[in-house]
Amino acid sequence: MVEPIFDYQFRIIVVGDSTVGKSALLRAFTEGKFSETCDPTVGVDFFARLIEVKDGVRVKLQLWDTAGQERFRTITWSYYRNSVGALLLYDITRRSSFEHLVEWLFEARRHIEPGRAVFEVVACKADLESSRVVSTEEGRAFADSYGLSFIETSAKTGYNLENAFTNISQQIYDKIQSGELKMQDGWDGIRTGFSRTQNTVRLMEAEAEKDGCC
């Protein structure tokens, strides 16, 4: 099997109230599929996909989908610690999910270590404009008040689907380049990947072995 080539691996956790659209957004992004009905996540689910950030750098995203129900909180806490990013999701048709964002933000900040994670506020179900109860301005104002980026999305139509994940990945990458975020032993938030250079070296070694064996 050929190993996928990527320069970095980022571990990102996705949080928010139950049924805001976390699983739907992740499946649409990683599998290109959308379902009107999704079974509630029990504990934690896992998704992954390769993307590119600027300079042609390829990043493997490890995406951890967490259950929104209170009874699973103690299970999901352990997954915060090794995350370098967090997507804070709410449903534009459910004001309560928006009002709970501050709780999700504080919980994530409290449990994420070493504490320099990148956060992004993601408004879900932008295709349900006729049922909207949280305005774009409210969502952006909340994000601005905590110094976070903001984006509205739709898993159903694909609106801003790629941008939601590219934006947070770009922010993480920029912080790595500036030295604000660094890889640390015992922390899985950021990892180096299987790069093009490594692939070239392995191919050269394989060719050398083949030439020398006959």
Side-chain angles (χ1 to χ4, degrees), residues 7 12 33-34 47 54 90 97 147 149 211:
D7 301 282
I12 296 173
K33 300 176 182 177
F34 173 77
F47 297 83
K54 68 181 178 183
Y90 72 92
S97 69
S149 58
D211 293 341

Side-chain angles (χ1 to χ4, degrees), residues 3 5 18 21 31-32 39 64 69 74 86 95 102 109 117 146 150 152 165 173-174 182 189 192 198 207:
E3 295 184 64
I5 299 172
S18 182
E31 303 171 6
D39 294 331
W64 297 86
Q69 300 97 317
T74 56
R95 179 161 292 277
V102 67
R109 282 180 169 173
Y146 290 100
F150 169 80
E152 291 196 335
F165 295 91
Y173 176 69
D174 289 344
K182 298 179 181 178
T192 53
Q198 290 172 309
E207 287 296 323

